[in-house]
Amino acid sequence: MRWSKVFIPTLREAPADAEAPSHQFLLRAGYIRQVAAGVYAHLFLAQRSFLKINQIIREEMNRIGAQEFYLPALNPAELWKESGRWDQVDVIFKFKDRNQHDLCLGITHEEEMTNIARSELRSYRQLPQIWYQIQEKFRDEPRPKSGLLRLRQFIMKDSYSFDLDEAGLDVSYQKHVDAYHRIFERCGLRFLHVEAFSGMMGGKVSSEFTAPAEVGEDSIAVCDCGYAANFEKAQSRPAPVDDLPGDSPPEPFATPGKKTIDDLVKFTAESPARMIKTLDFFVESHPVVILLRGDHTMSETKLAMTLGTDVFRPATPEEAFALHGAHLGSLGPVGLKGVRIIADLALEGRKNLLAGANRDGEHLRNVTPSRDFQAEFADVRQVEEGDPCIQCGRPLRVTKAIELGHVFKLGRRYSEAMHATVLDEQGKEVTLVMGSYGIGVERILSAAAEQNHDKDGLFLPRPIAPFEVILTAANMDDAAVRAAAESLYDELLKHRVDALFDDRDERPGVKFKDADLVGVPFRITVGKRKIGQGLVELLERSTKQATDVKLPEVIPALRGRLGC
RNA sequence: CGGGGCGUAGCGUAGCCUGGUAGCGCGCUUGGUUCGGGACCAAGAGGUCGGAGGUUCAAAUCCUCUCGCCCCGACCA
């Protein structure tokens, strides 16, 4: 393409409402323009990138035997009511047609795909199936943000697997995990595959692929040994604590006015790791008492997992008083009757701890779990940066990351609700076992932009950059430069190099600045001084390393760098 | 949904407190000079100051309502 003929509206300054680097540069480089909050027009350069990204996705999905579909974004309400999500999910764009029928725009397509599966799949002989599409999704997000990072309309590659049993699902799931690794690898991203929570999608096992970046919304705990998990789900070994010896029974002591762990630490000079923190919650009308080590923080997500529901709330001070016979500050587990007590794993096997005495102004020492009170032990603690890795014991790091893709073992959540069954070998009706797998296409581009920019602009990975090379003719009015550039451009096209020829009648400075901005990984510069010696310049954008190359050698040199 | 900020030409902004014909830089058009890191000179085009209502002789400016956008938090398949 000749720059003089195409529309690449670069900006010298970033629009004031763009903050994230990917947002600023995609605007400045003329990739995108905003239409509304969380809604963007993809201009020429963006569309070229997306076509390349989609092609990579397609190739890798096809490679695992997935079949490409294209379902409508416009969905009748019936299916969503059947699965229960019409009322459960609040980001659905809902509206009525002229006949007052409820419709919505698809947020994802479990319902639609399951609907096809149930009406068409009859026999185990037809399994497994993997169906996918690259299609628009609509979500009425409470807070769209950061350019293409959180959109209300976005492109998703979503796929759905249908298997006869769990073993089959495991295979389909693993195929996706492998495909996703190849996709993100080929897109040139730095990424992590991490354990995750399934949230409202339903199902038990899920993991996500994330790209480390400052502006990411996910927090990821990572370790050098390869362990990586969503912060909400991450586990760690609690730092070991030496408990005091002895088997004395709990002994009350006065702690007037000491209400917090901090107060108690100052008052007793004991380590908070030797204290028990007591938190009361209610699940519907049932109280649940949560115990944690004094220096630990509870993870609401893990508690939700343990309780099997995310509908719970902290007890009011009055409710806590009714349960313990004491006010907040002196709550403890000893002597509680008929209440479910969940103790964090960090309290298992410990002895002689400090806890509230359930009498105002008093605490107990020598409290030993399982002797002085009974509790279920579960992991309800949020990890902290520096905690020993659950696998190898080295300190965990916490990093921000962009969620690129998420893979779920759904199980029978949708197939059961929508009666999607086939007959097995014995002629018995069997409910399909499903998986669902998503990739955010815009997020691949934004993550690449976040990971590959400097003060002057973008340098996208070659496979997803809108062009592979930009041919800059520094002086179009110089006959020798012009002739050399024109013939180089022809040669590049002949060699099927994806080239953008900056043939504009602009000053060299303007062209160099624009070339730096637009995210093309290589630049060939033809200038009037060097062309006299038969030389042109080959520059790698990411490092800005430039080398002078003899004119006939520049295309082989470039192709070598491009790996083709 | 809670908190904060902002809407003035394509982009960045001044003017608003203290009401009196809307200004600057970049970009754009034309002519000339220039030409390896966002040139210079000259002449131009371009704005219902987000919208509605009100106060006033007079509103970008004051008041009320409203719409939109951004950021933090909540939420997040």
Side-chain angles (χ1 to χ4, degrees), chain A residues 199-219:
Chain A
M200 297 307 288
M201 282 296 289
K204 292 190 175 57
V205 176
S206 87
S207 56
E208 51 187 43
F209 289 79
T210 69
E214 270 305 302
V215 296
E217 298 178 274
D218 277 13
S219 290

Side-chain angles (χ1 to χ4, degrees), chain A residues 344-364:
Chain A
D344 182 66
L345 293 174
L347 294 175
E348 196 166 21
R350 304 283 308 280
K351 59 193 293 191
N352 297 329
L353 306 174
L354 301 182
N358 291 330
R359 268 196 304 279
D360 285 348
E362 282 189 28
H363 280 75
L364 298 174

Side-chain angles (χ1 to χ4, degrees), chain A residues 246 359 504 555:
Chain A
R359 268 196 304 279
R504 291 175 300 169
I555 288 182

Side-chain angles (χ1 to χ4, degrees), chain A residues 300-491:
Chain A
E300 291 201 12
T301 315
K302 287 184 180 179
L303 180 59
M305 284 273 285
T306 305
L307 294 174
T309 172
D310 57 2
V311 185
F312 56 83
R313 60 174 178 84
T316 64
E318 294 73 30
E319 287 167 337
F321 181 80
L323 196 60
H324 293 267
H327 291 96
L328 298 183
S330 292
L331 306 184
V334 179
L336 290 184
K337 292 263 156 39
V339 186
R340 183 174 183 195
I341 302 178
I342 297 172
D344 182 66
L345 293 174
L347 294 175
E348 196 166 21
R350 304 283 308 280
K351 59 193 293 191
N352 297 329
L353 306 174
L354 301 182
N358 291 330
R359 268 196 304 279
D360 285 348
E362 282 189 28
H363 280 75
L364 298 174
R365 61 176 117 248
N366 303 332
V367 174
T368 298
S370 299
R371 181 193 71 181
D372 302 323
F373 64 89
Q374 297 303 315
E376 310 161 37
F377 290 96
D379 177 24
V380 291
R381 174 177 70 95
Q382 190 157 85
V383 301
E384 274 156 42
E385 178 138 33
D387 278 359
C389 169
I390 190 79
Q391 284 183 9
C392 73
R394 277 177 285 182
L396 289 176
R397 296 187 312 276
V398 176
T399 157
K400 289 282 183 189
I402 296 164
E403 182 182 349
L404 299 167
H406 206 147
V407 291
F408 299 89
K409 289 187 184 178
L410 290 177
R412 300 179 178 80
R413 155 81 177 83
Y414 295 90
S415 47
E416 213 159 67
M418 298 177 63
H419 307 292
T421 62
V422 294
L423 296 182
D424 70 7
E425 216 163 342
Q426 279 78 45
K428 205 170 68 173
E429 193 170 67
V430 178
T431 302
L432 291 171
V433 182
M434 292 175 56
S436 99
Y437 317 88
I439 290 178
V441 173
E442 285 92 340
R443 284 184 176 179
I444 291 180
L445 180 61
S446 329
E450 290 293 337
Q451 292 184 346
N452 302 285
H453 68 267
D454 58 21
K455 65 176 175 42
D456 294 320
L458 302 171
F459 36 94
L460 296 179
R462 193 220 99 221
I464 68 169
F467 291 95
E468 294 175 312
V469 63
I470 177 164
L471 173 63
T472 301
N475 335 84
M476 277 305 279
D477 54 353
D478 183 278
V481 167
R482 180 175 210 122
E486 289 284 356
S487 87
L488 252 184
Y489 180 54
D490 285 347
E491 285 296 303

Side-chain angles (χ1 to χ4, degrees), chain A residues 50 60 90 111 145 180 187 217 314 321 425 470 502 509 511 529 544:
Chain A
F50 288 135
E60 294 303 336
D90 70 346
E111 282 79 357
K145 58 179 286 197
Y180 279 30
C187 287
E217 298 178 274
F321 181 80
E425 216 163 342
I470 177 164
D502 190 350
K511 294 184 165 194
R529 279 203 278 278
K544 293 218 176 159

Side-chain angles (χ1 to χ4, degrees), chain A residues 244-264:
Chain A
L244 298 179
D247 294 305
S248 311
E251 177 195 335
F253 64 104
T255 52
K258 309 303 172 204
K259 293 206 179 299
T260 66
I261 295 284
D262 260 3
D263 291 344
L264 211 56

Side-chain angles (χ1 to χ4, degrees), chain A residues 1 7-9 26 29-33 40-56 58 70 134 136 148 153-155 441-442 445 460 463-467 498 518:
Chain A
M1 296 282 172
F7 183 61
I8 304 175
L26 291 174
Y31 280 62
I32 57 172
R33 287 295 183 261
Y40 284 82
H42 302 166
L43 308 188
F44 180 60
L45 290 185
Q47 183 61 4
R48 284 185 73 93
S49 277
F50 288 135
L51 288 173
K52 291 185 178 186
I53 292 168
N54 289 345
Q55 189 53 30
I56 290 171
R58 236 173 226 125
Y70 189 82
I134 299 174
E136 298 290 337
L148 301 186
Q153 173 177 348
F154 59 97
I155 305 167
V441 173
E442 285 92 340
L445 180 61
L460 296 179
I464 68 169
F467 291 95
D498 211 351
V518 294

